[in-house]
């Protein structure tokens, strides 16, 4: 059976991918701040301050809002969790993008899911992504999430039926 672009996206598999990546990040999450900019960004998020230029106000507001949730006793751990959550959600979107792009290449659905999951897992545990998601919490995981979300929206838009609403 050949896959068509109209096939329903595997949202449950994407959620499962996000959860598994989050569990990996949670198991390796830093218990406090780290060296360099991370302490500065955590402090800026706490007081809605401005870290060094360019300031990253979106990150500061998002991290501050997440830091208000009573998920851990330490504020630093809450911000570390914020980085892990944003990166894990990004992994779910990357799974959806990879699975959709593989439809024309891999006709077997389970092989496609496995390939997409494997690619996402390799990306999520690569040194830079893993480090930013668990130890060095800064703006990069929010950026990764926004890029993955926009990419998924582009893929969905590309699958939409042609018409004036798609211009």
């Amino acid at each position: 059976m050949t896959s068509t672009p109209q096939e329903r996206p595997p949202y449950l598999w994407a959620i499962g991918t996000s959860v598994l990546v989050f569990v990996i990040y949670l198991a390796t999450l830093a218990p406090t701040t780290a060296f360099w900019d991370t302490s500065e960004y955590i402090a800026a998020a706490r007081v809605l301050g401005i870290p060094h230029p360019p300031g990253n106000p979106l990150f500061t507001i998002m991290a501050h809002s997440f830091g208000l949730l009573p998920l851990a006793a330490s504020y630093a751990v809450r911000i570390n969790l914020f980085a892990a959550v944003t990166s894990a959600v990004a992994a779910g979107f990357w799974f959806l993008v990879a699975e959709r792009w593989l439809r024309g290449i891999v006709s077997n659905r389970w092989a496609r899911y496995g390939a997409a999951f494997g690619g996402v897992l390799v990306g999520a545990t690569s040194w830079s992504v893993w480090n930013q998601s668990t130890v060095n919490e800064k703006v990069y995981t929010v950026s990764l999430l926004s890029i993955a979300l926009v990419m998924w929206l582009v893929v969905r838009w590309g699958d939409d039926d042609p018409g004036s609403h798609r211009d």
Side-chain angles (χ1 to χ4, degrees), residues 2 20 38 40 61 71 75 77-78 112 115 133 138 154 165:
T2 16
L20 181 65
T38 59
E40 178 187 11
I61 291 169
L71 300 174
Y75 191 81
V77 172
R78 290 191 296 245
R112 195 171 58 239
S133 303
K138 291 196 292 189
V154 166
H165 67 283

Side-chain angles (χ1 to χ4, degrees), residues 116-165:
F117 176 75
V120 167
L121 194 59
V122 166
T125 57
S126 66
W127 171 252
S128 294
V129 176
W130 171 81
N131 187 42
Q132 295 299 324
S133 303
T134 60
V135 178
N136 202 13
E137 64 295 318
K138 291 196 292 189
V139 299
Y140 304 114
T141 59
V142 174
S143 178
L144 182 65
L145 174 58
S146 64
I147 292 167
L149 173 62
V150 168
M151 199 70 224
W152 174 240
L153 292 174
V154 166
V155 167
R156 291 297 289 164
W157 173 78
D159 284 344
D160 201 6
D161 293 327
S164 60
H165 67 283

Side-chain angles (χ1 to χ4, degrees), residues 76-135:
V77 172
R78 290 191 296 245
I79 302 305
N80 291 346
L81 281 170
F82 173 67
V85 166
T86 53
S87 194
V89 171
F93 282 118
W94 286 125
F95 173 86
L96 292 171
V97 169
E99 187 278 333
R100 173 58 190 91
W101 282 348
L102 287 168
R103 283 186 194 171
I105 302 167
V106 181
S107 59
N108 182 297
R109 180 173 57 149
W110 299 110
R112 195 171 58 239
Y113 288 1
F117 176 75
V120 167
L121 194 59
V122 166
T125 57
S126 66
W127 171 252
S128 294
V129 176
W130 171 81
N131 187 42
Q132 295 299 324
S133 303
T134 60
V135 178

Side-chain angles (χ1 to χ4, degrees), residues 10-91:
Y11 291 117
L12 287 177
W13 283 87
I15 291 169
T17 300
S18 291
V19 167
L20 181 65
V21 168
F22 178 72
V23 166
I24 292 169
Y25 290 159
L26 188 60
T28 59
L29 195 71
T32 186
T33 64
F35 199 55
W36 297 112
D37 297 342
T38 59
S39 299
E40 178 187 11
Y41 276 94
I42 290 172
R46 176 78 184 237
V47 299
L48 282 176
I50 301 171
H52 65 274
N56 306 298
L58 178 62
F59 172 83
T60 303
I61 291 169
M62 290 176 69
H64 178 79
S65 300
F66 193 90
L68 295 174
L69 300 173
L71 300 174
S74 164
Y75 191 81
V77 172
R78 290 191 296 245
I79 302 305
N80 291 346
L81 281 170
F82 173 67
V85 166
T86 53
S87 194
V89 171

